[in-house]
Amino acid sequence: MHRISDEQRRIRIGRRHLLAPSLRSESPVAVADAVVALHATDAATVFLSACARLRVPDAAAVEKHLYEDVSLVRLLSMRNTLFVVSDEMAPRVEASNARAVAAKERRNLLKHLAEDGNGLDEQWLADAEQSVLAALAAGGSATGSELSAAVPALRTKITVFPGKKQEAVQGVASRVIRVLAAEGRIRRDRPRGSWTSSQFRWTASDPRPEQETERAQAELALLWLRAYGPASEGDLKWWTGWGLGQVRKALAATGAEEVQLDSGATAWVAPQDHGSDPAPEPWAALLPALDPSAMGWADRGFHLPAEHRAALFDRSGNIGPTVWWNGRIVGGWALRTDGEPVWRLLTDTGREASASIEAEASRLAAWVGEARITPRFRTPLERELTA
């Protein structure tokens, strides 16, 4: 069995995730494909993750691909989480994950409507959805509040979890919009504010032709292995949200090969991908909260010392902004209210690393400009740095 060391895994991050300076891309779409999917729960993460990997960071270029030619697509998919993928990747993600997520979202909404006991049923939901689509067809795009003003059904209130401790009265607008978006019948358009805003407008969208689920899962697993391998069954299970049976079937379909890690554990790589990658030049990166290079594995021990976790993660397990040096997480960073980037190293990395990190911080500040960024998930170190 071939062996791949932790150092070789860290080299792969720099090369395959386009983080080494000479390997950075010209295209946000190529960036998304390199890491398979960009986390999009926090609107700013998409831009920060993409621009960290672009030779010339440019938020406007990312916006163009998201909202003009729509070559980058937001999907509610893996682990019921919002991601951005390339338009070419989207059918695989829809078939392997997003379609099941959308079906669950619809079932949950119909269950809440039925439990409310006011006769709101599947036909009522279908009529409300058609009214939303008609409003978007007439107006082109609209915010959630504008849609509620145009579609009376969206102003309906229901009681969720009646008779239980968590009973609450809620509006249906966000739930109906979420289902339509999950099914690909509408999509997020430009936000009301800057690229850091999550107050999106909505516009109509045509669902894509469906692909077969097992084939799509095998294709997605292979692409993920090329970006993140070697990795374990548990890593792929965590990243995708699939059951263990689905993970094993997908790995078998890819022809994945077993390798041994420094820890002695068995992991998987794409076929014939067990050789050593040449090391790129030394590199530093300031990656945002929920960046894919920090969220690609359930077991991050090969690039994240266990003693750093308390400072860099929130209570729900979301990782905050991180400082990287040659494939290791060595600290965290934040933007102060005046736009100044600040960071703290949790590992002594030496003068060369400090100079490279300083250069990356200056690069970040230059393209971010007047934008102010507060991560949606605040971590202890990020809070301390901005205090």
Side-chain angles (χ1 to χ4, degrees):
M1 183 185 297
H2 293 276
R3 181 168 182 166
I4 297 181
S5 69
D6 287 350
E7 177 60 24
Q8 187 56 224
R9 295 181 77 184
R10 293 189 288 268
I11 287 171
R12 288 182 173 210
I13 293 176
R15 295 194 65 86
R16 303 189 182 191
H17 293 202
L18 307 182
L19 288 165
S22 64
L23 300 171
R24 289 171 182 161
S25 176
E26 302 286 348
S27 166
V29 176
V31 166
D33 281 340
V35 294
V36 185
L38 298 167
H39 279 258
T41 306
D42 190 330
T45 294
V46 177
F47 292 83
L48 293 166
S49 290
C51 287
R53 295 166 169 86
L54 291 175
R55 290 184 185 174
V56 181
D58 185 359
V62 180
E63 288 184 306
K64 174 182 178 292
H65 290 290
L66 281 169
Y67 307 123
E68 294 179 21
D69 61 30
V70 198
S71 52
L72 290 175
V73 182
R74 280 186 174 90
L75 293 174
L76 189 65
S77 50
M78 286 74 72
R79 304 190 309 281
N80 203 31
T81 300
L82 197 62
F83 285 87
V84 162
V85 301
S86 69
D87 185 56
E88 183 179 354
M89 182 76 70
R92 298 184 181 103
V93 175
E94 286 179 331
S96 61
N97 284 83
R99 199 159 62 213
V101 169
K104 183 177 180 180
E105 291 290 330
R106 178 169 290 277
R107 288 195 303 271
N108 287 343
L109 177 53
L110 288 170
K111 179 182 177 182
H112 286 311
L113 294 177
E115 289 175 345
D116 183 65
N118 286 320
L120 305 179
D121 56 12
E122 193 167 1
Q123 185 58 54
W124 179 90
L125 178 56
D127 292 342
E129 290 170 334
Q130 287 303 314
S131 296
V132 170
L133 296 175
L136 290 176
S141 67
T143 64
S145 59
E146 289 168 343
L147 284 173
S148 293
V151 179
L154 292 186
R155 301 195 291 272
T156 303
K157 304 283 188 180
I158 61 172
T159 300
V160 296
F161 305 112
K164 298 180 180 179
K165 184 179 181 179
Q166 61 268 46
E167 178 180 318
V169 175
Q170 297 179 354
V172 300
S174 61
R175 293 177 180 271
V176 174
I177 290 170
R178 182 178 175 90
V179 168
L180 286 169
E183 293 176 348
R185 298 163 70 188
I186 65 174
R187 64 173 176 82
R188 287 168 175 80
D189 204 359
R190 287 185 182 274
R192 292 183 63 184
S194 73
W195 54 269
T196 64
S197 173
S198 295
Q199 296 183 347
F200 291 101
R201 294 181 177 88
W202 298 92
T203 191
S205 179
D206 294 324
R208 295 173 181 79
E210 292 189 359
Q211 290 191 1
E212 191 271 327
T213 297
E214 288 189 5
R215 177 181 175 183
Q217 288 179 335
E219 291 175 350
L220 182 62
L222 180 59
L223 292 167
W224 182 83
L225 280 177
R226 288 174 178 162
Y228 296 92
S232 68
E233 289 180 347
D235 291 327
L236 182 56
K237 180 178 183 294
W238 176 82
W239 189 85
T240 58
W242 298 339
L244 186 57
Q246 292 174 301
V247 166
R248 289 175 173 170
K249 186 176 290 186
L251 286 172
T254 67
E257 300 180 11
E258 288 183 280
V259 295
Q260 190 176 51
L261 305 179
D262 277 354
S263 64
T266 297
W268 298 88
V269 295
Q272 303 300 311
D273 192 27
H274 41 65
S276 296
D277 288 24
E281 71 275 31
W283 60 273
L286 271 63
L287 299 183
L290 302 180
D291 184 85
S293 293
M295 296 290 289
W297 304 266
D299 181 4
R300 303 175 177 92
F302 73 99
H303 68 64
L304 173 65
E307 61 268 24
H308 293 358
R309 291 188 64 93
L312 297 173
F313 285 77
D314 71 5
R315 293 180 179 178
S316 300
N318 300 301
I319 197 166
T322 49
V323 177
W324 292 66
W325 174 244
N326 287 343
R328 287 184 172 91
I329 295 177
V330 296
W333 65 275
L335 283 180
R336 287 181 172 159
T337 54
D338 62 359
E340 178 191 2
V342 289
W343 64 94
R344 179 177 300 162
L345 298 183
L346 303 174
T347 299
D348 183 5
T349 55
R351 290 182 179 180
E352 181 184 14
S354 296
S356 295
I357 293 164
E358 178 82 41
E360 282 299 303
S362 297
R363 180 174 178 264
L364 172 69
W367 77 261
V368 166
E370 298 298 318
R372 297 295 175 261
I373 300 162
T374 301
R376 182 171 179 177
F377 305 105
R378 308 292 302 276
T379 55
L381 182 54
E382 188 272 334
R383 287 180 182 274
E384 187 176 342
L385 289 172
T386 55

